[in-house]
Amino acid sequence: MPVHDLGYRNWEGSRTARILRPMFVARSGVSLVWRRRWLRTMLMLAWLPIIVPAFGIFAFEYSATEPEMRQVVVQVLSGPFQRPDLAQQAISDPAEVRHEVWTMLILTFFRYPQLSAMVLLVGLIAPMLVSYDLRSKAYLLYFSRPLSPTEYILGKAAVVWFFLGMIVTIPALLLYVIGILLSPDLSVIGETWDIPLRILGASVVLLVPTTAVAMCYSSSTSESRYASFAWFATWILGFVAYQFLTFMNVRRPPRRRRGGPDWQDLDIDFDRYRLLSPYHTLGKVESWVFGLDPTEGSVWPAICLLLIITVVGFWIVRRRIIARLSV
Amino acid sequence: MTGLLGPNGSGKSTLIKSLLGLVRTQQGSGSVLGMEWPQRVREIRDQVGYLPEDDCYIAGLNGIESVAFMAHLAGLPGTEGLRRAHEICDFCDIGEERYRPVESYSTGMRQKLKFAQALVHDPPFLILDEPTTGLDPDQREAMLRRIRTLYRTHGKSILLSTHILPDVRSVCDQVIMLVGGEVRIIDTLENLSRPAEPTVHIAIYGDSAPLAGRLREDGFSVTEDSDGSLRIAGIDTDQIPGLWQKAAETGACVRRLTPAMNSLDEIFFHAASETELR
């Protein structure tokens, strides 16, 4: 018996507002996930790709004064980005193309390394969020407090959003800040004020539907490994199906003198099978958010699909939880 | 303190979940702690401590984190929630085990943990669904002692749902018995224990037949129990001296004379099988 044991004492104090209770669900989830060493390592690794766009912005801003950097910018814009017109403009009038170059670099960061990191991270975190609670019947504890299923879902989703925000939104905003710090004067903020808003918009596009799908899988089973499998299968099968159906008739793409294949000359309909692949659907909407959508098809089918996935995903999670409570 | 009794599938847990708004009700209304039910179930949940029957825990947390988390969910601020969690763990006799992951807890430890979680926000009303399941006799007695303390010293209202009738007998003063989803009995334990007509049990050394015969001659209803004792119905307290007199006259040596009570087991059995109590 501890020496400080005073038996039961009544407690009187002010309680926190009920609207803040989902925050405790999120905080507990974040703290649980944070304990895993592999996750901390992964978060650190997920920040590494920022070096490439950061160097791009650095090179662009210094190209006005450093001829060597100018050469690098021309090579990058003409090569990987396939925008020789932009490369010429970057030499003649950098201020005019600053907004486009920055958004292009940030979109590339969003589109390729971070989208892949997101798939991996969500696949490792989200499946256990609800399925563990179903297996250990923890929902009885959560809902013995004044917490609604919607608030519970919000709290759990916030765990995923927190970690995705750490690897996607914060690095992208940091890129923007780096750009501002490297630019000649603060008037650049006036030219690029919309970029942080576009970053936040693209983050929402990336975070919300993916969380809905991952939580939907998680709530469908008490075995998190099945949910993980379903999550990765969705991305891999979608990606492979899109690539196969879009490029199956292309035998030998003509090659440029330098760089990769010249897809534009092949008259490929990139949008026809896009909705099959979550990766490409998200990419289309993100490009649209950044104002850099390179394909001709309308973005609205992709937006509608993501909206439907989000609503249906969260609805299924809610339904599954309510169904469990009734047992 | 009210005991909620009923055979398996009688609807005890469903009733509790309905009170907490965890299952949707099709009809009916009422009030819990003066709050309209089912309109204000979330406010009701804020004022209720619920110990679920199921083995449930939040995976990955250790004992103290689980209790502190429930405190935070109930609205206790950060540090205060943790302080209160430690205090309640002390009260519930959760020692150093509080720093172990809950997955490693025994059934009894998890039961104590659930009790601490139900209690941490100091609710005025506790709903305890099978709180002594999985506890060894010492721990069971300690748990019942804690429940009694909360009721008697701290004025908590307690609804105790259990199959273990001695638990109800030892701590409850009211009983609700559910059978097939309907309330079959609702009364104080004292009233229920009292037979329909005043009755005494009398145990005799040796042959009880002469005394039984004499009592029957005087108009009492006498039956002989399996242990040889006599059950005399319809005898008032003021007639007890006369009973001693008759025992002396018939040469019966009285070993024990006690007022007969309906046992809870008997009440439970009769209610469940729809027979009328004697």
Side-chain angles (χ1 to χ4, degrees):
Chain A
M1 181 71 71
V3 287
H4 58 275
D5 184 12
L6 300 167
Y8 187 83
R9 289 192 298 178
N10 292 99
W11 184 80
E12 279 177 18
S14 55
R15 296 198 189 184
T16 52
R18 255 180 232 156
I19 201 164
L20 296 175
R21 311 274 170 97
M23 196 184 74
F24 292 110
V25 178
R27 202 174 70 175
S28 161
V30 168
S31 119
L32 267 177
V33 176
W34 192 255
R35 289 177 196 177
R36 294 157 207 249
R37 187 181 288 175
W38 57 261
L39 181 103
R40 294 199 297 270
T41 313
M42 212 190 126
L43 285 177
M44 216 161 62
L45 292 175
W47 270 73
L48 287 181
I50 197 178
I51 294 168
V52 177
F55 177 74
I57 290 176
F58 171 80
F60 176 78
E61 292 302 330
Y62 275 79
S63 62
T65 51
E66 300 285 333
E68 289 167 10
M69 288 296 176
R70 204 172 297 160
Q71 197 59 34
V72 171
V73 170
V74 169
Q75 278 176 356
V76 169
L77 290 176
S78 310
F81 287 105
Q82 298 186 7
R83 293 289 305 272
D85 55 319
L86 204 63
Q88 289 306 317
Q89 253 187 308
I91 303 299
S92 56
D93 187 4
E96 188 66 26
V97 293
R98 175 175 284 116
H99 186 282
E100 196 168 352
V101 170
W102 282 18
T103 47
M104 216 156 69
L105 287 166
I106 293 172
L107 174 64
T108 308
F109 175 69
F110 253 87
R111 184 82 182 83
Y112 300 105
Q114 296 322 87
L115 192 55
S116 313
M118 180 279 291
V119 173
L120 193 61
L121 191 72
V122 174
L124 294 172
I125 295 173
M128 61 182 82
L129 285 177
V130 183
S131 65
Y132 273 25
D133 287 347
L134 296 182
R135 191 165 61 194
S136 62
K137 295 188 179 177
Y139 53 86
L140 284 171
L141 297 172
Y142 284 106
F143 297 114
S144 67
R145 297 292 189 262
L147 198 71
S148 68
T150 308
E151 287 170 339
Y152 168 81
I153 294 166
L154 191 68
K156 290 287 179 182
V159 177
V160 183
W161 295 339
F162 174 81
F163 286 107
L164 288 186
M166 275 182 74
I167 64 160
V168 177
T169 315
I170 293 175
L173 289 172
L174 189 69
L175 272 179
Y176 175 74
V177 173
I178 288 171
I180 297 291
L181 294 176
L182 292 173
S183 59
D185 57 69
L186 290 178
S187 66
V188 169
I189 297 174
E191 297 165 18
T192 58
W193 61 270
D194 61 319
I195 293 181
L197 298 179
R198 288 177 193 273
I199 290 171
L200 293 177
S203 300
V204 171
V205 168
L206 191 67
L207 268 54
V208 179
T210 50
T211 307
V213 172
M215 285 185 65
C216 176
Y217 288 149
S218 179
S219 68
S220 304
T221 173
S222 54
E223 288 285 345
S224 60
R225 59 197 161 148
Y226 298 144
S228 296
F229 178 80
W231 168 259
F232 287 117
T234 304
W235 287 87
I236 293 167
L237 291 179
F239 188 90
V240 170
Y242 173 81
Q243 293 288 344
F244 180 75
L245 291 169
T246 305
F247 299 103
M248 67 180 170
N249 294 323
V250 180
R251 297 190 178 211
R252 273 190 303 171
R255 299 194 73 82
R256 290 170 186 272
R257 282 184 191 169
R258 296 172 67 185
D262 187 2
W263 299 111
Q264 285 173 348
D265 292 348
L266 293 174
D267 196 25
I268 294 172
D269 186 356
F270 285 96
D271 289 301
R272 189 169 175 193
Y273 299 107
R274 191 183 292 280
L275 300 184
L276 284 176
S277 165
Y279 182 85
H280 294 92
T281 307
L282 281 172
K284 172 88 177 171
V285 181
E286 280 178 353
S287 306
W288 176 74
V289 169
F290 278 105
L292 295 170
D293 185 10
T295 55
E296 289 173 2
S298 169
V299 74
W300 288 106
I303 291 176
C304 289
L305 180 70
L306 293 182
L307 277 175
I308 291 167
I309 285 174
T310 305
V311 172
V312 171
F314 283 129
W315 178 77
I316 291 173
V317 180
R318 191 170 185 279
R319 208 178 137 77
R320 290 279 304 163
I321 291 165
I322 292 171
R324 279 300 183 108
L325 282 172
S326 309
V327 177
Chain B
M1 175 140 36
T2 304
L4 182 62
L5 295 173
N8 289 332
S10 59
K12 301 188 295 294
S13 295
T14 306
L15 172 67
I16 290 171
K17 285 182 180 176
S18 307
L19 285 175
L20 294 170
L22 301 181
V23 290
R24 196 170 292 168
T25 48
Q26 288 168 321
Q27 57 181 3
S29 61
S31 82
V32 178
L33 297 170
M35 289 177 274
E36 292 152 25
W37 176 90
Q39 291 88 343
R40 296 170 64 190
V41 280
R42 288 184 67 190
E43 287 164 71
I44 290 169
R45 262 190 261 160
D46 218 2
Q47 299 297 318
V48 170
Y50 171 47
L51 183 151
E53 177 191 9
D54 305 75
D55 180 25
C56 51
Y57 57 90
I58 296 167
L61 297 180
N62 62 35
I64 192 68
E65 285 169 339
S66 298
V67 182
F69 175 62
M70 293 306 287
H72 294 146
L73 266 191
L76 273 71
T79 316
E80 179 60 15
L82 184 61
R83 187 200 65 74
R84 175 79 182 166
H86 277 289
E87 193 175 302
I88 291 299
C89 281
D90 289 339
F91 175 70
C92 295
D93 194 25
I94 303 172
E96 295 301 309
E97 305 93 338
R98 72 185 69 173
Y99 300 109
R100 269 182 19 214
V102 288
E103 287 96 330
S104 68
Y105 279 18
S106 64
T107 314
M109 275 303 298
R110 282 195 192 159
Q111 207 66 11
K112 287 200 279 186
L113 184 75
K114 283 193 288 178
F115 188 60
Q117 288 172 323
L119 205 56
V120 69
H121 58 302
D122 190 31
F125 182 29
L126 282 166
I127 298 179
L128 310 174
D129 201 352
E130 306 281 1
T132 54
T133 305
L135 298 177
D136 62 41
D138 282 352
Q139 292 293 340
R140 178 174 154 265
E141 189 46 51
M143 175 69 89
L144 292 174
R145 206 165 40 240
R146 277 181 216 116
I147 293 171
R148 261 194 300 265
T149 304
L150 289 169
Y151 170 58
R152 291 190 183 145
T153 317
H154 299 279
K156 306 281 179 203
S157 301
I158 297 172
L159 181 66
L160 178 75
S161 167
T162 182
H163 282 108
I164 306 169
L165 298 176
D167 287 359
V168 175
R169 214 172 8 241
S170 74
V171 293
C172 294
D173 44 25
Q174 281 201 86
V175 169
I176 297 173
M177 199 167 289
L178 283 180
V179 179
E182 289 179 356
V183 176
R184 189 60 56 82
I185 293 172
I186 176 164
D187 208 339
T188 62
L189 202 58
E190 192 185 351
N191 282 347
L192 287 171
S193 304
R194 198 179 300 138
E197 56 180 342
T199 306
V200 293
H201 262 136
I202 183 163
I204 306 285
Y205 282 116
D207 187 13
S208 60
L211 177 62
R214 178 70 188 275
L215 289 168
R216 282 194 191 99
E217 282 170 18
D218 291 346
F220 292 107
S221 165
V222 181
T223 50
E224 193 169 344
D225 285 348
S226 54
D227 60 353
S229 63
L230 301 176
R231 184 184 174 93
I232 306 154
I235 186 162
D236 287 328
T237 321
D238 55 353
Q239 292 175 298
I240 297 294
L243 185 61
W244 285 106
Q245 182 68 37
K246 289 178 181 65
E249 287 167 11
T250 55
C253 180
V254 177
R255 182 160 61 93
R256 190 183 69 228
L257 192 150
T258 52
M261 305 292 274
N262 285 328
S263 78
L264 199 54
D265 306 50
E266 209 177 345
I267 297 165
F268 183 85
F269 174 76
H270 284 300
S273 60
E274 293 187 325
T275 56
E276 212 174 278
L277 285 173
R278 277 200 294 164

